[in-house]
Amino acid sequence: MIAYLDTNVYISAEYKFSSGKFATLSSLITDGDIKVIYSSATQGEVEQHIIADISAAVTKYNRLLRKELSPIIDTADFELNKIDEDAAIAAVKCSFVDFLSLNGVTKIELNPLDAEWLMQAYFSSEAPFETKKPYEFKDAIMINAVKQYQKKVIEQIIVVSDDAGFRKAFEGNNRFITVKYLGDLIEMCNQQKAEYANIEACIIGAVNNDDFYDQIHGHFSNFDVDRAYYEEWKCNEMQIDLIEAELAYVEFVDDRYLAHIDVVLWVLAEITHRDEDTSFFDKEEQRYLIENYVTWREIHRIKTSVVIDCTVDKEDDKYVVLDGIIVDDRKFHTLDLDESTMQSWDELETERYEEPNLVYCSECGKIIGYTTVYKDYNDNPLCGDCMIANEKGNICPACGRKVPHEFMNSGFCIDCFKKQD
């Protein structure tokens, strides 16, 4: 089986060439089940993205260390160090080159270039030129190279790309098969292995029958919760109400059957947070004078995945799953709850904490603090925003109070006007 991976496949894998789906692919390449082809154009484009993406990520990380984590960066409890951008980029590029150097990964030539076909496809708006954008010439050159290589080896080639226009250029030609994701390629390869076909069907049945439900539920129930968006919050209670599981693919490694399962968790969380809109932070005192805490019951839908190491055996000429153990290689056991995962919410209660003797604006009701420099005609406090001439009154230039229009005379309040006489 020969496969060509478009640039977006490497990017979607987040350049993790020694783990995840690329580790599975590398194993299949090493075992001789799949051959992968690439070109200098593919390599160059992936390396450009590595430089840009890693550079941006390292800059963001180092800035976070410098600005947000300075209190703990030098403590012995944490190993937090600045990342060298050049070294990080070099490490990822080296991992990429190691993958390309595998026995079974072949670099193909971009020549000969079929310029006649190239221009005809462009002016006829054929794939990948539907939009007639200049950068599509790069894709067209790569498409031509893959087609020319296929003519040479006379074998069917599987093209993996999430670019619909790129895939369309190979459709209708039985010498090519197009798939969208790397997992689809791995699944196709496994399906070709007759010995594993029945095992995969057995594991699919176990997933569909919720045989792993308790393991998955127990695994994620122990995760922490991160409720993004709120500045100050706490999770009073978290429980997983429902789990939807679907097998993505089965990885066969050293007689182990690793079921990669896509999981949807329906999580109920009781969250208490400080409502910044109705709380008041005094910049001078550097503390909250009013804190309003709201408790919500939130339901979130979280997409994640899990890998289960399955023990499979044959009983009465049928494969059965005897056991399943979750393979846990996560560095962070956290469920991220945010506005994108939120499905519904109910407000349970509110609690308000207010410092005593606070002063409020008599006109708009906004909190001022403990003292005020602005007052109205009756010596009631005013905030700076309301200390303007409007329908409520004018500002007396003598006493500085805000006075109703009916108590003004010749630009002064009547008290100050009398004093001038």
Side-chain angles (χ1 to χ4, degrees), residues 231-292:
E231 283 193 27
E232 181 174 319
W233 61 275
K234 66 176 180 178
C235 180
N236 307 317
E237 179 187 356
M238 185 278 284
Q239 66 183 45
I240 298 174
D241 281 353
L242 179 65
I243 298 175
E244 300 171 5
E246 181 178 359
L247 183 69
Y249 64 95
V250 178
E251 180 182 2
F252 304 100
V253 180
D254 300 329
D255 295 326
R256 298 170 62 203
Y257 310 112
L258 302 180
H260 292 253
I261 301 173
D262 294 328
V263 175
V264 174
L265 303 175
W266 288 87
V267 176
L268 186 150
E270 184 179 293
I271 304 291
T272 299
H273 78 98
R274 183 174 59 218
D275 187 348
E276 302 299 329
D277 293 333
T278 56
S279 299
F280 179 77
F281 182 80
D282 190 288
K283 293 183 179 178
E284 292 185 0
E285 296 200 15
Q286 286 295 300
R287 67 190 182 97
Y288 281 89
L289 302 183
I290 296 177
E291 291 183 287
N292 191 37

Side-chain angles (χ1 to χ4, degrees), residues 69-136:
L69 297 178
S70 58
I72 63 172
I73 191 172
D74 294 324
T75 63
D77 296 332
F78 306 93
E79 295 181 3
L80 300 176
N81 298 299
K82 177 182 178 182
I83 296 178
D84 183 274
E85 180 178 319
D86 293 335
I89 292 172
V92 177
K93 288 174 66 176
C94 181
S95 180
F96 178 45
V97 171
D98 287 344
F99 172 77
L100 297 180
S101 301
L102 290 175
N103 185 19
V105 179
T106 304
K107 181 179 179 180
I108 65 174
E109 296 293 329
L110 294 175
N111 294 320
L113 181 63
D114 191 344
E116 189 69 27
W117 168 81
L118 200 65
M119 297 312 299
Q120 181 179 350
Y122 176 77
F123 288 113
S124 300
S125 295
E126 298 175 6
F129 290 114
E130 292 97 331
T131 56
K132 285 196 174 181
K133 293 179 181 178
Y135 60 78
E136 301 293 355

Side-chain angles (χ1 to χ4, degrees), residues 148-334:
Q148 295 296 330
Y149 182 79
Q150 193 282 327
K151 290 179 181 178
K152 184 189 302 183
V153 298
I154 319 177
E155 286 187 42
Q156 193 176 55
I157 294 178
I158 300 170
V159 176
V160 186
S161 175
D162 67 4
D163 184 333
F166 194 89
R167 296 197 308 273
K168 188 175 180 180
F170 296 94
E171 291 176 358
N173 189 334
N174 59 13
R175 291 173 292 182
F176 299 93
I177 297 175
T178 61
V179 295
K180 193 172 182 179
Y181 301 117
L182 182 56
D184 298 329
L185 173 66
I186 294 172
E187 184 178 3
M188 287 181 62
C189 182
N190 288 335
Q191 287 176 347
Q192 289 189 3
K193 298 180 178 183
E195 180 183 354
Y196 296 141
N198 292 330
I199 295 176
E200 185 177 49
C202 171
I203 294 175
I204 290 174
V207 174
N208 293 341
N209 291 331
D210 291 331
D211 292 350
F212 304 121
Y213 190 95
D214 291 341
Q215 291 97 317
I216 297 174
H217 189 280
H219 178 67
F220 287 109
S221 292
N222 292 322
F223 275 36
D224 294 327
V225 167
D226 183 13
R227 183 61 175 94
Y229 179 76
Y230 299 139
E231 283 193 27
E232 181 174 319
W233 61 275
K234 66 176 180 178
C235 180
N236 307 317
E237 179 187 356
M238 185 278 284
Q239 66 183 45
I240 298 174
D241 281 353
L242 179 65
I243 298 175
E244 300 171 5
E246 181 178 359
L247 183 69
Y249 64 95
V250 178
E251 180 182 2
F252 304 100
V253 180
D254 300 329
D255 295 326
R256 298 170 62 203
Y257 310 112
L258 302 180
H260 292 253
I261 301 173
D262 294 328
V263 175
V264 174
L265 303 175
W266 288 87
V267 176
L268 186 150
E270 184 179 293
I271 304 291
T272 299
H273 78 98
R274 183 174 59 218
D275 187 348
E276 302 299 329
D277 293 333
T278 56
S279 299
F280 179 77
F281 182 80
D282 190 288
K283 293 183 179 178
E284 292 185 0
E285 296 200 15
Q286 286 295 300
R287 67 190 182 97
Y288 281 89
L289 302 183
I290 296 177
E291 291 183 287
N292 191 37
Y293 286 91
V294 185
T295 300
W296 302 87
R297 179 182 288 112
E298 302 177 348
I299 296 178
H300 292 261
R301 183 178 186 271
I302 303 171
K303 291 183 179 181
T304 183
S305 61
V306 69
V307 179
I308 297 183
D309 190 344
C310 302
T311 301
V312 182
D313 202 357
K314 216 171 188 180
E315 294 181 358
D316 299 328
D317 293 329
K318 289 185 178 180
Y319 286 102
V320 294
V321 177
L322 301 180
D323 194 12
I325 300 174
I326 290 180
V327 179
D328 186 8
D329 59 355
R330 299 171 190 258
K331 293 183 178 179
F332 301 101
H333 286 190
T334 303

